[in-house]
Amino acid sequence: MDARIIESVMNHSKEDGYLGRVIFQWKEKPTYFELTLQSKNSRDWNYSLSFAKESGSEEDILAVEARLEEDDELFDALIDSAMQALPAE
């Protein structure tokens, strides 16, 4: 996997479903990215990608966005990381 996960958080409520985020570093670049996640059922995910700490290049964020769209294994690994952070109910 080309991403190094820095931090994962996930919460769940009946009203909002699953809300979480994963902060990760892409390859060896110094830029940190934040993937914000939302799902009502933990199967169909909406997400938003942004820079986590400081802005990077548009080229970098577009490359990561494209990779998330193409690589189901990467996307699933990021979701799994967030789901593992879900507090026990």
Side-chain angles (χ1 to χ4, degrees), residues 28-64:
E28 299 301 320
K29 298 190 182 293
T31 307
Y32 290 87
F33 297 92
E34 180 174 342
L35 184 69
T36 304
L37 300 161
Q38 186 279 326
S39 176
K40 286 287 187 183
N41 58 18
S42 77
R43 289 183 304 275
D44 302 314
W45 291 93
N46 297 310
Y47 73 91
S48 173
L49 181 67
S50 60
F51 294 108
K53 296 185 179 191
E54 55 191 47
S55 293
S57 74
E58 183 177 357
E59 180 180 286
D60 285 349
I61 203 158
L62 292 175
V64 173

Side-chain angles (χ1 to χ4, degrees), residues 75-87:
F75 189 71
D76 290 345
L78 294 172
I79 290 173
D80 289 346
S81 174
M83 290 299 284
Q84 289 174 6
L86 185 66

